[in-house]
Amino acid sequence: MREGIIVWRKLSILSRFELRQTWDDKMVLFYTLIAPMIFFVVADFSSHGHPFGVHDLASQLVGYWVYIVLVGVLNGFQFALIGMRESNFLKMFTVIAGDKRLIFFSNLAVQLLFIEIEVFVFDVVVLILNPASLILLPMMAGGLLLNLILIPIVAGFTNFLLILPLRTNLVSLMTTGYIFAGMFLMSPGITLAPWLNDILAAINPCSYMLQFYSAGLDILGRVSLPQVGLLLGVAAFYLLVGYYPVRHMKLQSNTNRY
């Protein structure tokens, strides 16, 4: 009981520190929230207040959610931990906290909160600019609930970055290309065979999130048991495998030996 209280206090202290660090890093806020908001406003302006048709409004909104969640996890979570490692702050905080897993989970909790707020703010902007989206209020609420499950799964998807011996800027460049490729494959103009969609759901977090939202919110109205089984199996796999880098991530910099 006493050990549990001590661990909780450490998590609380680390979470408050991570909260301040995240709030001070305004560039993360730009990539995860400001950039998609600007794109939406430009689309709204260029289409005279109707950026989406009635039929594809839901799928377009989900695309923005996928971007915000994935970029939020990468920039606010993975890159933050890699940056702490490369600056040797991770080693110092681990000595203070007694367990690097506490740093990992406190950061994850803070990023989950921030991403939820960013998605909520984005939804409010959509409601203001496009009154037709009021019909999607239940879907927006459901998306926020699904994010509580999705964000840890996406973290599991991307935890392999923690054990790569690369600098933050190189990892950022690699993942930027990965994000654009993933978003391209899930664009409305791209039609893929069902079996290929299943493969992408297992290896591409963008495709996985798209199918997860579609199944959880029943957007397409044709959720099947095999699809649900695939999503649950992939989630379990990445949550289990994603824990390996947490335990084996090095505390010292992989690139700076001095």
Side-chain angles (χ1 to χ4, degrees):
M1 181 68 178
R2 183 178 180 182
E3 291 182 357
I5 295 176
I6 294 175
V7 169
W8 177 255
R9 287 178 177 174
K10 289 182 177 179
L11 279 172
S12 178
I13 294 172
L14 287 170
S15 295
R16 288 197 295 270
F17 172 78
E18 295 288 354
L19 191 63
R20 289 195 297 269
Q21 290 291 103
T22 301
W23 179 250
D24 290 339
D25 190 356
K26 298 300 189 296
M27 286 304 297
V28 173
L29 185 65
F30 174 81
Y31 285 117
T32 54
L33 180 60
I34 304 301
M37 284 174 57
I38 291 175
F39 185 83
F40 185 89
V41 171
V42 170
D44 178 83
F45 178 79
S46 61
S47 56
H48 306 288
H50 299 284
F52 308 124
V54 175
H55 298 292
D56 66 349
L57 180 59
S59 61
Q60 292 289 340
L61 183 61
V62 166
Y64 282 102
W65 292 349
V66 169
Y67 173 85
I68 293 173
V69 170
L70 181 57
V71 175
V73 169
L74 288 174
N75 280 297
F77 180 62
Q78 305 292 8
F79 295 164
L81 289 173
I82 294 173
M84 289 176 65
R85 181 193 67 197
E86 295 306 302
S87 62
N88 290 315
F89 276 106
L90 182 63
K91 183 176 182 179
M92 180 184 69
F93 289 140
T94 300
V95 172
I96 295 173
D99 191 338
K100 62 184 175 182
R101 290 174 296 182
L102 296 178
I103 300 172
F104 179 92
F105 290 120
S106 64
N107 195 358
L108 180 59
V110 169
Q111 297 311 317
L112 191 151
L113 174 63
F114 262 82
I115 293 172
E116 286 284 66
I117 293 174
E118 287 167 344
V119 172
F120 174 79
V121 171
F122 181 82
D123 288 347
V124 171
V125 171
V126 172
L127 290 170
I128 294 173
L129 295 180
N130 191 344
S133 61
L134 285 171
I135 195 174
L136 297 179
L137 275 175
M139 172 185 158
M140 292 176 176
L144 290 173
L145 292 177
L146 289 178
N147 285 341
L148 298 176
I149 305 172
L150 261 179
I151 292 172
I153 295 174
V154 175
F157 257 106
T158 56
N159 271 354
F160 71 93
L161 296 171
L162 299 177
I163 55 178
L164 294 180
L166 302 172
R167 294 184 183 275
T168 307
N169 54 357
L170 183 56
V171 175
S172 177
L173 182 63
M174 291 171 53
T175 52
T176 298
Y178 184 62
I179 291 172
F180 279 117
M183 297 296 288
F184 173 77
L185 289 173
M186 59 174 278
S187 61
I190 303 297
T191 302
L192 301 173
W195 64 269
L196 188 54
N197 279 325
D198 292 340
I199 292 176
L200 287 175
I203 62 175
N204 177 24
C206 293
S207 298
Y208 179 84
M209 283 189 282
L210 180 63
Q211 292 197 33
F212 193 97
Y213 281 126
S214 297
L217 300 172
D218 198 12
I219 294 174
L220 301 178
R222 53 173 185 267
V223 178
S224 63
L225 287 178
Q227 182 185 14
V228 173
L230 172 67
L231 295 174
L232 292 178
V234 172
F237 176 78
Y238 279 104
L239 286 175
L240 291 174
V241 174
Y243 188 64
Y244 176 87
V246 178
R247 291 180 58 88
H248 296 85
M249 179 183 180
K250 293 182 179 179
L251 296 179
Q252 69 274 17
S253 171
N254 280 325
T255 55
N256 183 12
R257 301 302 179 187
Y258 302 97

